[in-house]
Amino acid sequence: MKFWSLLRANLGRHKRRTFLTIASVALALFLFASLRSVITTIGMAAQFGSARRLVTTNATGFVLPLPVSYANRLETVPGVEKVTWANWFGGRYGDGKRFFATFAVDAKSYLDIYPEMSVPADQKEAFLQDKGGALIGVRLVNLFGWKVGQNVTLQGTIFPGDWTFTIRGVYTPTDPAINDDALMFHYDYLDERAGRPGNAGWYILEIDKPDNAAQIAKTIDDQFRSSSAPTKTGTEQAFNASFATMWGNIGLLMNTIGLAVVFAILLVTANAMMMSARERTRELAVLKTIGYSDRLLFGLVLAEAGLITITGAVLGLGAAKLLYRATNFNAAGFLPGFDVSWGTMATGGVIALVLMLASGIVPAMQAARLPVVTALRSVE
Amino acid sequence: MALVEIRDVYKTFTRGAERIDVFTGLTLDVEQGSFTALMGPSGSGKSTLLNLIAGLDRPTSGTVRVNGAEVSAMTPAQLATWRSEHVGFVFQSFNLLPVLTAFQNVELPLLLTRLSKRERDERIRIALGVVGLDDRMDHYPRQLSGGQEQRVAIARAIVADPTLVLLDEPTGQLDAKSSQEVLTLLARLNDEFGKTILIVTHDPAASGRARRQLHLEKGTFVEQGSLVP
Ligand SMILES: Nc1ncnc2c1ncn2[C@@H]1O[C@H](COP(=O)(O)OP(=O)(O)OP(=O)(O)O)[C@@H](O)[C@H]1O
Ligand SMILES: [Mg+2]
C-alpha cells in the first residue's frame, strides 16, 4: 500500500485528536461488547440444560418447597430414570460482600444427574462419606484460597445460625453455563438441623428420551394435581429460561444503551473526520493539481476514517474479549460462562464498518467534489 | 505543431449577477522546449490561463490542446491522469504538505505511477539533487527556508518528468537571493533538461531570464516579444 505513509502522516497531524477519536471508538465497542455479552450469556444460560433433564417445582412458585417424599413417587413415573433434589440455602460468608450460591443437595444422586460437574474420584468419595462435608466450585478456591480439608463457616440467612462445613472436594464445570462458584452440602445435614421438615426445593429428573418430555411432565403434574402441593414440571431449559425472562427487559435496556453509545461515538468520529477534511481543503486541491483523481481522494479520505474506526474496534473488542477471559469474569456468579462471543465480535466489526462509512462518506465526497480552482483561490 | 495550442478561448466567470469576461477569443502557441514569462497586472487573467492549460479549469468556449491532446474536452478522470503524466505545477505559496518530509512530498506524483519503490527512490533523489536539496530529504517543510520549500515544490513538479512545467508567481514570496536561485534552477531545467516552462511573474528579473515575454492586459496580449526564435 504505497499511500500508507500519506495516510499515516495525515493521522499523525493532530495526534491528540486522532488518539481521542480512536479511544472513543474503542470505548464504545468495549461497552457494546460488554453489554451485548450480558445478553448473550443470559441467552446461553437459557439454552443450557440437557434435554434429558426435567425440573419439577411447586406449582405456586418455585420458591416454595415440595415434600421430599415426592422423590419415591417421581421415580415410579414411566420414563423417569433418575431423581434428585436440591434446596436453596442462602448462606453468607464473611462480610457477605462476595455472594455465591449455596445448595443443599442429595449428593450422590445429584452428582449422578450432573456429569457436567467434574470431581476427582477420591474427593467425590470423601464428600459422599462426610455428612458435614462440602463440595465447592473451583472459582471459590481461587477467590478465598480455600483448600480441601479446611473448615468454613457460613451464616444461614434462611436457616439462621453458624453452619460449619469441611471442604471435601472441588468441582470443575465442563459446561461453561454451570456456575463454578457454588457451594454444595448434604441435604441430610440441612434437614436434620432444621428439625426434619422434609422439604425439597426442586426436583431434577433424568428421563429416557427427550421426545417424551412433554408426556412425562404432564403425567407428573396430573399425578400431583389434587395433592396438598401441586407440581409444575418442565424441561431444565424452560426452567433456566424462566430466570432469563426476568432479564428480558434488562436486555432491551442494554441494547438501547449500547446503540445510544455507538450513536454518540458516531457523532464524535464524524465530527473529527469533517474537521480534518475541512482543514485540508487546500492540500486536497494541491493533490488534485498533481493528478490525484476524485476517486482516489474519495478512497484516501474514507480509508482514513476506516483506519480510525478499525483500530478503535480492534482495541475495544480485543480488550473486551481478553479482559473478561483473563479475569474470569462472571458478575459474582450471576453470569456463569460470561464470554464475549465471536458473534458479538463480528457484530462489533460490522458496527466499526458502519461507523467508518457514516463518518467518512461525507468528507470523502466533499474531497472528491472539491473544485480545484476555487479551493486554491479561496485560501490564498 | 506547437506544444500548447490555445485557440479562440473565451472564459467568463459569473459572480452572482456580475459577469467577468476574462478572455474573449484568446489564441496562443507555446513551443516545445521554450521558456516563457507571462506578465500583466493583477486580474488580467494570468492564473486563469495557467489553470486552463493545466486542465484545472475549462474554457467557456474554444479549445486548449497540449501535445495534440484536447485538454478542454477531457472528462475529470481523464484530466487527472493526463495531469499526473504531463503537467508539473508550482504555486506562489509552495503548497507542500506540511505533514510530509521533502522526500515524501516529492514522492506524491510518483505514487500515481507504476514505478517500484526502488525506482521511485532513485527518481526522488535525482529530482532533489537537481534542485540542490539532496541533503534535506528528511526535513519537513517547516524546517526549510522559503527558497528551499519552493525548490522542493519544483522537484515535486519535475519528478514525474512532465511535458510542461507551469509556475504561478513562484518567486512572489521569496527574497531576492532565493528568487535568483529558483530562476537559475528554472533556466537550467530549460537548458539542460529541455523542459518547457511557462512562468507567471510580476518580477522583471524573472521575466528577464525567460526567452519569451508575454504581456497580458484585460485578457489580451498587448505585445509579444520573442528574443529567441
Ligand atoms: N473562480 C473565479 N470566480 C470568479 N471570478 C474569478 C475566478 N477566478 C478568477 N476570477 C476573476 O477573473 C479575473 C482574472 O483572475 P486571475 O486570477 O486569472 O488574475 P491574475 O492575472 O492571476 O491576477 P493576480 O496577478 O492578482 O494573480 C479576475 O477579475 C478574477 O477576479
Ligand atoms: Mg494569479
Side-chain angles (χ1 to χ4, degrees):
Chain A
M1 176 62 186
K2 46 186 177 175
F3 295 104
W4 171 243
S5 58
L6 183 58
L7 284 176
R8 207 186 40 192
N10 278 332
L11 289 176
R13 180 181 310 248
H14 293 288
K15 288 202 180 60
R16 193 186 316 146
R17 186 200 293 161
T18 304
F19 171 80
L20 287 176
T21 314
I22 290 178
S24 8
V25 174
L27 189 65
L29 285 167
F30 180 85
L31 280 174
F32 166 81
S34 307
L35 294 175
R36 169 121 203 105
S37 298
V38 171
I39 302 167
T40 56
T41 306
I42 293 167
M44 193 182 69
Q47 275 163 28
F48 158 75
S50 160
R52 287 191 60 195
R53 285 194 291 250
L54 299 184
V55 175
T56 300
T57 59
N58 192 307
T60 320
F62 66 79
V63 293
L64 294 175
L66 291 168
V68 75
S69 57
Y70 279 16
N72 293 330
R73 292 170 66 187
L74 287 168
E75 258 165 11
T76 62
V77 175
V80 172
E81 304 205 314
K82 292 174 187 169
V83 176
T84 191
W85 64 94
N87 276 53
W88 180 257
F89 175 71
R92 221 172 90 106
Y93 176 68
D95 58 8
K97 272 193 188 138
R98 176 56 168 89
F99 165 86
F100 55 87
T102 316
F103 303 107
V105 299
D106 185 56
K108 180 151 180 13
S109 57
Y110 196 86
L111 289 177
D112 223 28
I113 259 182
Y114 282 107
E116 298 98 323
M117 293 169 59
S118 138
V119 189
D122 54 331
Q123 294 186 6
K124 181 174 172 180
E125 201 47 43
F127 171 55
L128 293 179
Q129 296 301 323
D130 181 4
K131 195 172 165 184
L135 180 67
I136 60 168
V138 63
R139 183 187 290 264
L140 296 181
V141 174
N142 304 327
L143 216 53
F144 300 120
W146 288 348
K147 287 186 190 65
V148 173
Q150 176 181 348
N151 283 348
V152 295
T153 302
L154 306 185
Q155 281 126 34
T157 50
I158 304 170
F159 306 91
D162 279 355
W163 295 68
T164 302
F165 308 103
T166 311
I167 296 168
R168 290 297 175 202
V170 178
Y171 73 86
T172 312
T174 54
D175 183 323
I178 292 198
N179 266 336
D180 60 355
D181 61 353
L183 182 148
M184 322 240 170
F185 64 97
H186 292 277
Y187 170 79
D188 248 13
Y189 187 59
L190 175 72
D191 195 47
E192 189 178 283
R193 251 189 85 169
R196 295 247 173 245
N199 287 332
W202 62 91
Y203 286 97
I204 304 121
L205 325 170
E206 189 173 307
I207 57 173
D208 53 359
K209 279 203 237 81
D211 289 349
N212 295 341
Q215 180 53 45
I216 295 170
K218 188 174 178 312
T219 313
I220 293 169
D221 292 347
D222 284 349
Q223 186 175 334
F224 292 106
R225 177 143 301 140
S226 50
S227 68
S228 58
T231 61
K232 181 166 170 272
T233 304
T235 61
E236 188 176 43
Q237 287 171 348
F239 183 66
N240 286 329
S242 70
F243 279 104
T245 48
M246 302 196 310
W247 287 84
N249 289 333
I250 296 178
L252 181 67
L253 181 69
M254 292 196 169
N255 265 329
T256 314
I257 295 174
L259 283 179
V261 167
V262 167
F263 186 72
I265 294 311
L266 170 65
L267 298 182
V268 170
T269 324
N271 184 47
M273 285 310 302
M274 303 244 192
M275 273 168 81
S276 61
R278 202 174 313 125
E279 290 161 356
R280 294 209 306 261
T281 304
R282 187 178 187 83
E283 289 175 27
L284 291 166
V286 169
L287 289 174
K288 286 195 178 190
T289 309
I290 292 175
Y292 281 57
S293 67
D294 298 351
R295 189 190 280 195
L296 176 58
L297 289 178
F298 179 90
L300 285 173
V301 173
L302 199 59
E304 229 174 277
L307 269 178
I308 287 183
T309 59
I310 287 162
T311 310
V314 168
L315 291 177
L317 296 173
K321 180 96 192 158
L322 296 179
L323 188 78
Y324 291 126
R325 252 208 199 150
T327 58
N328 213 355
F329 177 80
N330 75 348
F334 281 106
L335 296 170
F338 187 92
D339 187 30
V340 181
S341 71
W342 290 112
T344 298
M345 300 286 278
T347 313
V350 170
I351 289 179
L353 286 182
V354 171
L355 271 179
M356 160 179 125
L357 290 177
S359 65
I361 213 135
V362 171
M365 263 163 47
Q366 282 170 348
R369 287 186 183 162
L370 181 73
V372 187
V373 178
T374 39
L376 287 173
R377 282 178 72 85
S378 60
V379 207
E380 201 144 30
Chain B
M1 187 182 71
L3 181 66
V4 178
E5 294 176 336
I6 295 173
R7 292 289 173 271
D8 202 22
V9 158
Y10 285 72
K11 181 65 188 176
T12 306
F13 291 109
T14 42
R15 209 178 314 176
E18 197 188 353
R19 258 176 65 115
I20 304 163
D21 295 310
V22 184
F23 301 127
T24 48
L26 189 81
T27 293
L28 171 70
D29 280 353
V30 177
E31 298 301 325
Q32 171 91 43
S34 63
F35 185 172
T36 309
L38 186 57
M39 289 175 293
S42 180
S44 55
K46 303 181 297 295
S47 298
T48 304
L49 182 57
L50 283 200
N51 290 340
L52 291 175
I53 296 172
L56 295 171
D57 207 351
R58 284 172 195 286
T60 311
S61 71
T63 56
V64 176
R65 285 174 177 278
V66 176
N67 215 2
E70 190 173 341
V71 177
S72 45
M74 292 185 194
T75 65
Q78 287 170 332
L79 276 176
T81 312
W82 175 80
R83 259 200 310 276
S84 72
E85 289 166 359
H86 297 284
V87 180
F89 210 101
V90 177
F91 307 85
Q92 177 174 357
S93 49
F94 322 142
N95 281 335
L96 299 178
L97 267 59
V99 289
L100 299 182
T101 61
F103 184 94
Q104 290 171 324
N105 265 288
V106 177
E107 189 177 26
L108 286 172
L110 297 183
L111 294 179
L112 301 173
T113 65
R114 290 181 190 282
L115 297 177
S116 70
K117 176 78 188 135
R118 263 223 352 256
E119 292 165 323
R120 294 203 300 269
D121 283 6
E122 198 184 305
R123 292 238 196 157
I124 297 162
R125 274 167 221 285
I126 293 173
L128 281 169
V130 168
V131 301
L133 286 174
D134 28 6
D135 56 340
R136 293 283 195 282
M137 288 198 285
D138 297 324
H139 286 53
Y140 286 91
R142 71 187 126 77
Q143 299 167 320
L144 299 170
S145 72
Q148 289 170 332
E149 277 195 72
Q150 194 59 299
R151 275 145 65 196
V152 173
I154 291 171
R156 182 175 73 186
I158 58 168
V159 73
D161 197 20
T163 316
L164 191 58
V165 182
L166 305 173
L167 306 97
D168 197 347
E169 299 186 41
T171 59
Q173 290 186 10
L174 302 180
D175 60 27
K177 185 167 167 288
S178 304
S179 296
Q180 276 313 313
E181 282 169 6
V182 165
L183 292 169
T184 307
L185 173 62
L186 293 178
R188 232 187 105 208
L189 286 175
N190 178 245
D191 273 352
E192 272 180 46
F193 300 92
K195 293 277 153 222
T196 308
I197 294 174
L198 183 55
I199 173 175
V200 167
T201 184
H202 286 296
D203 180 3
S207 69
R209 290 294 193 101
R211 308 269 181 93
R212 179 187 184 198
Q213 283 82 19
L214 295 174
H215 290 270
L216 204 53
E217 229 158 88
K218 294 193 187 123
T220 44
F221 296 111
V222 287
E223 69 195 64
Q224 297 193 3
S226 183
L227 302 182
V228 175

